[in-house]
């Protein structure tokens, strides 16, 4: 139980610490404050995992789920940071929005479990793909160095460190197996940090300044603040998170041979949303099920929820040990960037895997995917696209995940539910390659001439 629980932590550790690192860096936190935020995320992830695996009353799917900070909230939180004049208010605004979204999600959980049919693979796959795509620019920014205003930003030294880390992670994933393969990202971060020492870009002061034992003080960054635009944005993220968790519960139920029924899904969503609502109390972010741990359950065939609960215990202990949490603050940004390419790219790849099951032989689904991806990529490809809109509206619009999710849901309702009988036969029986029609016309004319 000890080693298997630790393996679950290793498989998801990088995913848990990445969101607080991204948001904390955007807010401009010091290394010490960044360590605190990371520890808080580990602590709240452990509590959310307890809720999901052990359960209380009608809360918790009681399946071997590891819960942690969801990637879906990163882009909207960065949008909130960018549109907040005083960066000191950014985290309180984010925490307030998460609390409201968590409470509303908890109330809506039993009803949401009945609406799964409105979130088919074409919607969930599009959203998960957008999450990965939206996060990749963050990894590219990390690879160029810690300070965009510095003269050495984007230097060959930084990019070389990022490249070396990426190669190490890829080599471990390609040539190893079992436990080592699962923690390839973690090993890559350690190796990249050690290699970076001779270059003088590794700072060990966060470890030296951290205490061995500590507690994430409630509302350390200030009392939560509530703004309508931020709340709406995080509510959209909550819908995305609940949709992803529902898909994960269905998948895990099949793996452990205990199919997730409507009651199990509702209980699991209550755990997700309650964990999210309580998380800001200890300075944590929105929580959701971690899909990579489902793969670990399938690979190891260890299906006990108590093993995963043991992993949750490790997360809580790490959150109560600032020195352990500070280790991630030592990792140079370029090294994080190299590992982030794999980490965030894997999220996008996971979305593509879901889209494979989406029935893209249908014209309707192709259009839903095409338009939703286009809408979601606007903030990345054209950052000033919404410059004329009010600041409050830009909090939502500047998050490609939020806008892409809304577009996918609305288009799915329009094309696959309203007037469905008339459109069922709209299949792409032979998708045309670019220039295919012209080639066919020319062939036809040649045949006629002969």
């Amino acid at each position: 139980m000890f080693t298997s629980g630790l393996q679950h932590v290793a498989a998801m550790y990088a995913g848990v610490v990445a969101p607080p690192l991204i948001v904390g860096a955007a807010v401009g936190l010091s290394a010490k404050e960044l360590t605190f935020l990371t520890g808080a995320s580990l602590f709240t992830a452990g509590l959310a995992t307890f809720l999901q695996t052990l359960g209380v009353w009608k809360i918790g799917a009681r399946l071997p789920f590891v819960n942690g900070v969801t990637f879906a909230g990163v882009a909207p939180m960065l949008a909130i940071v960018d549109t907040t004049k005083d960066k000191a208010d950014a985290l309180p605004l984010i925490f307030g929005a998460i609390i409201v979204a968590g409470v509303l999600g908890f109330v809506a959980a039993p009803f949401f479990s009945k609406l799964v049919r409105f979130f088919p693979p074409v919607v969930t796959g599009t959203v998960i793909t957008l999450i990965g795509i939206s996060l990749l620019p963050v990894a590219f920014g990390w690879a160029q160095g810690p300070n965009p205003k510095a003269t050495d930003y984007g230097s060959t030294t930084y990019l070389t460190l990022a490249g070396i880390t990426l190669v190490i992670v890829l080599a471990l994933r390609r040539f190893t197996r079992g436990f080592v393969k699962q923690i390839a990202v973690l090993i890559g971060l350690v190796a990249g940090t050690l290699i970076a020492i001779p270059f003088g870009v590794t700072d060990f002061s966060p470890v030296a300044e951290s205490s061995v034992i500590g507690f994430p003080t409630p509302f350390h960054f200030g009392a939560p603040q509530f703004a309508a635009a931020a709340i709406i944005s995080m509510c959209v993220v909550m819908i995305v998170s609940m949709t992803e968790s529902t898909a994960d519960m269905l998948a895990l139920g099949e793996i452990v041979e205990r199919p997730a029924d409507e009651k199990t899904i509702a209980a699991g969503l209550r755990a997700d949303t309650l964990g999210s609502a309580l998380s800001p109390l200890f300075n944590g972010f929105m929580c959701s099920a971690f899909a990579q741990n489902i793969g670990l359950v399938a690979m190891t065939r260890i299906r006990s929820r108590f093993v995963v609960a043991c992993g949750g215990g490790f997360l809580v202990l790490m959150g109560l040990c600032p020195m352990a949490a500070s280790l991630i603050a030592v990792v140079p940004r370029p090294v994080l960037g190299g590992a982030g390419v794999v980490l965030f790219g894997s999220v996008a790849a996971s979305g593509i895997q879901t889209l494979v099951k989406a029935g893209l032989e249908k014209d309707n689904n192709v259009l839903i995917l095409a338009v939703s991806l286009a809408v979601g990529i606007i903030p990345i490809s054209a950052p000033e696209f919404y410059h004329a809109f009010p600041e409050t509206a830009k909090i939502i619009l500047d998050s490609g995940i939020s806008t892409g999710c809304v577009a996918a849901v609305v288009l799915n309702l329009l094309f696959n539910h309203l007037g469905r009988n008339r459109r069922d036969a709209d299949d792409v029986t032979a998708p045309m390659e670019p220039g295919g029609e012209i080639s066919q016309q020319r062939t036809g004319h040649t045949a006629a001439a002969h």
Side-chain angles (χ1 to χ4, degrees), residues 248-259 293-295 297-299 301 303:
D248 289 341
M249 277 184 269
L250 292 171
L252 187 58
E254 294 297 324
I255 291 171
V256 301
E257 297 179 356
R258 204 193 98 188
N293 292 84
I294 298 175
V297 172
M299 184 189 72
R301 298 184 181 180
R303 304 172 180 179

Side-chain angles (χ1 to χ4, degrees), residues 292-311:
Q292 55 263 53
N293 292 84
I294 298 175
L296 191 58
V297 172
M299 184 189 72
T300 62
R301 298 184 181 180
I302 299 175
R303 304 172 180 179
S304 171
R305 60 191 174 104
F306 299 105
V307 166
V308 176
C310 182

Side-chain angles (χ1 to χ4, degrees), residues 413-437:
L413 286 172
L414 178 63
F415 282 97
N416 289 334
H417 290 274
L418 300 178
R420 183 175 178 178
N421 292 335
R422 295 196 305 272
R423 297 185 174 92
D424 279 343
D426 291 346
D427 290 356
V428 182
T429 54
M432 186 181 70
E433 296 293 332
E437 184 176 338

Side-chain angles (χ1 to χ4, degrees), residues 143-160:
Q144 296 179 78
N147 185 7
K149 297 180 181 178
T151 55
D152 62 349
Y153 186 71
S155 66
T156 54
T157 299
Y158 288 147
L159 295 181
T160 299

Side-chain angles (χ1 to χ4, degrees), residues 10 13 26 34 80 88 106 111 126 148 189 256 269 309 330 336:
Y13 181 83
L34 203 58
I80 294 173
F106 184 85
F111 306 101
T126 299
L189 291 174
V256 301
L269 292 178
V330 172
L336 280 172

Side-chain angles (χ1 to χ4, degrees), residues 83-284:
T83 53
T84 304
K85 293 182 179 179
D86 187 355
K87 300 304 179 187
D89 293 331
L91 285 175
L93 279 170
I94 290 170
F95 292 148
I98 292 174
I99 290 172
V100 175
V103 171
L104 292 177
F106 184 85
V107 174
F111 306 101
F112 188 89
S113 62
K114 302 177 186 294
L115 300 177
V116 178
R117 67 191 184 95
F118 294 112
F119 296 89
V122 68
V123 174
T124 56
T126 299
V127 173
I128 297 171
T129 302
L130 281 172
I131 291 172
I133 293 174
S134 298
L135 292 175
L136 280 172
V138 175
F140 301 149
W142 282 349
Q144 296 179 78
N147 185 7
K149 297 180 181 178
T151 55
D152 62 349
Y153 186 71
S155 66
T156 54
T157 299
Y158 288 147
L159 295 181
T160 299
L161 286 174
I164 290 172
T165 305
L166 175 60
V167 170
I168 291 172
V169 174
L170 292 176
L172 288 170
R173 292 291 299 179
R174 173 63 180 84
F175 298 109
T176 63
R177 60 178 61 187
F179 182 67
V180 174
K181 185 175 182 178
Q182 288 298 319
I183 62 171
V185 172
L186 195 59
I187 295 175
L189 291 174
V190 173
T193 302
L194 294 175
I195 293 171
I197 292 176
F199 294 91
V201 296
T202 305
D203 181 15
F204 288 97
S205 60
V207 178
E209 296 171 1
S210 299
S211 56
V212 178
I213 300 175
F215 185 80
T217 313
F219 300 129
H220 176 81
F221 297 98
Q225 299 178 23
F226 304 94
I231 290 171
I232 292 172
S233 180
M234 296 314 294
C235 282
V236 172
V237 174
M238 179 57 74
I239 293 173
V240 174
S241 177
M242 293 170 74
T243 303
E244 188 176 354
S245 288
T246 299
D248 289 341
M249 277 184 269
L250 292 171
L252 187 58
E254 294 297 324
I255 291 171
V256 301
E257 297 179 356
R258 204 193 98 188
D261 55 16
E262 189 176 301
K263 182 180 177 182
T264 301
I265 292 173
L269 292 178
R270 286 193 189 98
D272 272 4
T273 52
L274 180 60
S276 297
L278 295 176
S279 189
L281 173 65
F282 300 104
N283 313 285

